[in-house]
Amino acid sequence: MIAGGTEKKTLFRRNSNFRALLVSSTSGVLGNAIAAVALPVIAAVELEASNFAVAALAGMTFLPWLLFGLLIGVWVDRLPRRPVMLTALTVRVLVLALLPVGYWLGFLSTPLLFAAAFTAGVASAFFQLADAALVQQAVTPDELMEGNGLITGSGAAADAAGRSAAGWLTSLAGASNTLILQLATSVVSLAAVGRLDVKEVIRPRSEQHIWREMLDGLRYTFSTAPLRALLFNAALWNFGGNIAASLLVLLVLRTLHESEIWLGMLLAAASVGGAVGGITAQAMGERFGSGPLWRWSMVPGVLGYASLLVLTPGWGMLWGVAGLFVMGASVAWNIVVGTSFRQRVCPPDMMGRLGAASRMVSWGMLALASFLAGILAETIGIREAILVGVVIACLAPLVALLGPLRGTRRLEDLVEAPEGAGLDSPART
């Protein structure tokens, strides 16, 4: 693009702080993707855990959001974000390093696996809230869609690479040994965060009780019709979709008797779709409007998860590859639009608490969904449990299409209405 005779630099090239955040985030996603494949395979193959344990394990990394999300959000708003990110990454490295060591020395167990996943989830909560708050301060409001699109797209590409590589490596070298790669990516993230030079907006020391600040964050999350609509949409999608996602390992390894390589390919397909969705989100939003893009994005996403119901061994697995690709792109569009809107309207000193309260509800659903998935797998069967998840996920696009934002073309142009307005009529631009 030419402007005034010179080539306009991309956000990645012109903003060193955003570049460091992108490298850190992408490396972290790569490591998380490897762990997301390795941990349930450790449970299913190396420890021969029950169906309930394998499904519930996926929820352990999200359970901290449900239990401590608001408290962590208050701390993130009170503290400098860069040291928080460095500490969180260090803790995550040390905790996950216990698993390959335990495998080598013979003390690896299901309780240790659950404890490590939970502790790593606590560290991730600190890291992700601090990271989101710094993105808001590292770019201008008009750069948020571009920045979040790059982060989402790059992260999804790293997720695809990590999951596909992990599927192959767990089959070749063992799931516990594969976690060594995850530790290496965390070191890269540490180095990138160490290069940050953001002048942070930190609140003056507050005299309010920490419980009051937690309630302020929760109250702000529900304060306007747009924020409520975004939250309910995400919560319903995460609850239904993660029932299906938590059972994917069991479906592939125990029902279809396929290899970890196919598992990695299915998970990678969702991530490749997410990369495409993240990269194209800004262009799609400009062409169709961020409102319609957000409202319709989950419709193909539901169909993508439904593809898991028709999987068969061999070439029949390709239905899932195509379906999860579509699902990944749909989710990325939804996330980029929703995240950019929250970052645009939220004051910097409230960002940690808004992120914590939103994720306590929406990501807390991921934890509950995993536990319910395990119960359903034991009682009604794996495929039947996936069907339940798909049916629940259908409620997410209904909230978007029929809710208070049904007439909005550009979410970024919304003017916050007075409290109590906007619930009974479409928000206006």
Side-chain angles (χ1 to χ4, degrees), residues 231-279:
L231 183 62
F232 294 149
N233 172 263
L236 288 169
W237 174 258
N238 286 345
F239 188 63
N242 205 48
I243 290 175
S246 297
L247 296 168
L248 187 57
V249 171
L250 295 173
L251 178 67
V252 173
L253 299 184
R254 293 186 176 175
T255 300
L256 300 174
H257 302 290
E258 283 291 353
S259 70
E260 294 92 332
I261 295 175
W262 269 115
L263 174 63
M265 289 179 63
L266 288 168
L267 294 170
S271 303
V272 172
V276 173
I279 293 169

Side-chain angles (χ1 to χ4, degrees), residues 94-223:
L94 295 175
V95 168
L96 291 182
L98 279 175
L99 300 179
V101 172
Y103 177 72
W104 299 332
L105 300 182
F107 63 82
L108 182 62
S109 65
T110 300
L112 176 61
L113 188 62
F114 271 67
F118 180 81
T119 307
V122 173
S124 291
F126 276 100
F127 179 88
Q128 291 179 46
L129 288 176
D131 180 65
L134 279 183
V135 169
Q136 184 200 40
Q137 298 177 45
V139 302
T140 67
D142 290 336
E143 292 173 331
L144 283 171
M145 276 287 285
E146 180 184 2
N148 285 314
L150 287 171
I151 288 174
T152 302
S154 175
D159 199 60
R163 291 176 188 271
S164 57
W168 177 71
L169 286 171
T170 53
S171 179
L172 180 68
S176 293
N177 291 328
T178 300
L179 283 176
I180 297 173
L181 270 182
Q182 194 278 335
L183 302 178
T185 63
S186 294
V187 173
V188 174
S189 289
L190 275 167
V193 173
R195 296 179 61 86
L196 282 172
D197 185 25
V198 177
K199 187 175 181 180
E200 296 192 43
V201 176
I202 304 172
R203 285 190 307 147
R205 184 175 180 85
S206 175
E207 299 300 326
Q208 284 187 325
H209 194 279
I210 194 168
W211 294 106
R212 175 65 181 273
E213 294 193 44
M214 290 165 61
L215 290 175
D216 286 345
L218 192 61
R219 189 180 299 114
Y220 185 83
T221 304
F222 289 92
S223 63

Side-chain angles (χ1 to χ4, degrees), residues 321-395:
V321 172
L324 292 183
F325 172 87
V326 171
M327 185 277 298
S330 300
V331 172
W333 291 328
N334 187 277
I335 288 174
V336 169
V337 174
T339 301
S340 299
F341 177 76
R342 290 190 187 96
Q343 291 172 334
R344 181 180 286 268
V345 302
C346 183
D349 63 354
M350 179 65 76
M351 195 64 206
R353 284 170 287 170
L354 172 63
S358 299
R359 295 179 189 186
M360 183 193 76
V361 177
S362 61
W363 287 16
M365 292 300 102
L366 295 172
L368 296 179
S370 295
F371 294 124
L372 179 58
I375 294 171
L376 292 174
E378 294 282 6
T379 56
I380 65 174
I382 294 170
R383 284 190 187 273
E384 292 79 4
I386 291 174
L387 176 60
V388 171
V390 172
V391 171
I392 294 173
C394 289
L395 299 175

